[in-house]
Amino acid sequence: MKLGIEFVPYVNVQRIVEWAKLAEDVGFDYIWVTDHYNNRNVYVSLTAIALSTDRAMLGPGVTNPYVINPAWTASAVATLNELSNGRAVLGIGPGDRITLTSLNVPMERPLAAVRESVETIRRLWRSEAVDLTGDVFSFKGAKLNFKVGRIPIYVGAQGPRMLELAGKIGDGVLVNASHPDDLRVAVGHISKGTSSIGRNVADVDVAAYTCFSIDVDGRKAKEKASEVVAFIIAGCPIEVLKRHKISEDEANEVKEAVAKGDFTRAFSLVTDDMISSFSISGTPEECLSKLMDLTKAGVTQIVIGSPIGPRKVDAIKLIAQKLIPTLKAQ
Ligand code: F42
């Protein structure tokens, strides 16, 4: 089992670097940094991390083609790859609807946007001059002026069609889910994509991009997770809510509170069932047991995602002591 960790650059880059160095030291294989324009910049953060680490793979998890043109992304990730001696990975997805809305950027034809981006980025990395008249993008002789090696591309996906596309075009998939039932369903859609083109699903690194929170005090860990779970519930498709027996009314209340910016109320509306369905949180023993369930759901990478724990450094150390030895043996 490969192990990844997600950092959201909402604090200064020096602190992200400290956390990333610690994560590499204790055995994480992948460091993913989220991309939202309203946080510290993803590539500045990744550059600083690249210069302070020497083993872990690292990349945006995930960028999107609407805010950043795919040719620009090709150059940024190729530069990161050069700087990190071949450790770059690219995570790309359609983008977060709330962020895109605040920039007044419409998410048109997301499947085509992701497909055309991945195709274009790969062609640019192969030193091709790209001419394309696509459904979303067009290029006229776009070309990078430097040589690039092979860099894995992971597609960020949750919806059935995006997961299927990821199975067709991705070296990996970053699935935002923490429950084995959701991951089993996701692996089914990914497999549909791989088999449609005669590919083996085992050739795709399927990563569970979890909402994770650990602490010796399980209650504190769950309280911290509820802050992320509120946002997950607010954007959750109805069929996923149904799978977890969460009523639309309950979810709508959370959604309304989030939309109004009344986060205290939103967090207070998050129930234990919601936390259990949409996070891996609690004591080290509780977290390990839930992570072991994920290993049986067809995933090949577990990403320890936000919030990680009420206290980041302590949480990473706890993960190192209590979880990594067992997980690495899978
Ligand atoms: N988003 C960010 O902006 N920043 C991040 O750092 C970030 C991290 C991240 C990590 C893992 C991960 O899985 C997702 C992450 N995201 C991040 C969110 C990501 O960018 C996407 O918002 C998220 O993955 C949701 O995408 P989705 O797979 O649900 O796809 C959406 C677009 C969707 O609705 N898909 C449906 C489906 O079935 O897959 C339908 C899509 C469809 O059919 N669209 C039609 C088309 O032609 O494309 C058009 C339909 C129409 O009406 O226009």
Side-chain angles (χ1 to χ4, degrees):
M1 181 64 63
K2 293 186 268 265
L3 280 186
I5 190 161
E6 173 211 53
F7 292 115
V8 179
Y10 67 94
V11 291
N12 72 49
V13 172
Q14 285 90 337
R15 283 187 73 198
I16 301 285
V17 170
E18 279 166 29
W19 298 339
K21 273 167 72 174
L22 176 62
E24 182 183 70
D25 286 347
V26 302
F28 280 95
D29 310 299
Y30 287 76
I31 295 167
W32 299 99
V33 177
T34 59
D35 181 9
H36 297 97
Y37 78 90
N38 46 349
N39 286 333
R40 275 46 164 204
N41 180 265
V42 60
Y43 291 108
V44 176
S45 305
L46 284 164
T47 302
I49 294 170
L51 293 172
S52 302
T53 54
D54 48 33
R55 184 190 57 79
M57 304 293 285
L58 68 171
V62 303
T63 191
N64 76 79
Y66 294 104
V67 177
I68 307 289
N69 185 283
W72 196 99
T73 295
S75 164
V77 175
T79 309
L80 182 69
N81 198 48
E82 202 172 62
L83 184 79
S84 65
N85 296 317
R87 291 187 286 133
V89 280
L90 165 61
I92 187 163
D96 163 51
R97 280 187 201 275
I98 298 172
T99 318
L100 291 180
T101 303
S102 70
L103 296 175
N104 202 19
V105 172
M107 189 195 281
E108 279 163 7
R109 312 284 314 266
L111 293 165
V114 170
R115 183 174 37 75
E116 288 172 12
S117 300
V118 171
E119 263 171 38
T120 302
I121 291 167
R122 286 211 177 107
R123 289 179 65 189
L124 290 168
W125 286 345
R126 287 196 301 261
S127 301
E128 286 180 35
V130 178
D131 283 313
L132 176 78
T133 308
D135 291 330
V136 179
F137 294 105
S138 53
F139 296 97
K140 288 183 186 164
K143 192 172 183 317
L144 294 185
N145 289 332
F146 59 106
K147 274 210 161 311
V148 186
R150 171 109 178 65
I151 304 174
I153 301 185
Y154 286 65
V155 176
Q158 267 81 245
R161 295 180 67 191
M162 197 62 76
L163 286 162
E164 202 177 320
L165 175 69
K168 288 183 193 163
I169 65 171
D171 296 296
V173 192
L174 300 173
V175 188
N176 235 334
S178 306
H179 196 284
D181 290 352
D182 295 330
L183 286 154
R184 266 186 219 104
V185 170
V187 171
H189 293 302
I190 296 165
S191 305
K192 201 171 156 198
T194 51
S195 52
S196 73
I197 57 159
R199 190 181 184 203
N200 191 335
V201 71
D203 294 337
V204 181
D205 185 15
V206 179
Y209 211 89
T210 65
C211 163
F212 187 94
S213 180
I214 191 169
D215 196 90
V216 282
D217 181 340
R219 196 64 248 161
K220 274 194 190 151
K222 285 180 204 257
E223 263 168 39
K224 191 70 191 169
S226 70
E227 297 173 10
V228 177
V229 170
F231 287 92
I232 298 174
I233 295 282
C236 195
I238 294 165
E239 63 273 18
V240 180
L241 293 172
K242 276 193 189 149
R243 193 179 300 143
H244 294 285
K245 302 188 171 54
I246 292 166
S247 78
E248 245 185 288
D249 288 348
E250 270 181 297
N252 281 340
E253 268 194 274
V254 178
K255 198 173 183 170
E256 277 163 28
V258 168
K260 278 189 202 144
D262 187 351
F263 299 124
T264 312
R265 177 164 165 74
F267 301 161
S268 73
L269 289 166
V270 172
T271 62
D272 285 350
D273 284 346
M274 291 174 185
I275 293 174
S276 159
S277 298
F278 294 105
S279 74
I280 291 181
S281 53
T283 60
E285 294 70 29
E286 286 174 294
C287 290
L288 185 60
S289 146
K290 286 191 142 198
L291 288 173
M292 293 308 285
D293 290 344
L294 286 198
T295 65
K296 294 170 205 134
V299 306
T300 46
Q301 179 174 165
I302 290 175
V303 180
I304 299 295
S306 207
I308 303 175
R311 291 177 305 256
K312 236 44 113 199
V313 169
D314 292 350
I316 296 171
K317 288 182 180 164
L318 259 187
I319 295 166
Q321 283 165 11
K322 306 274 186 180
L323 312 186
I324 289 186
T326 311
L327 291 171
K328 284 273 177 158
Q330 300 306 304

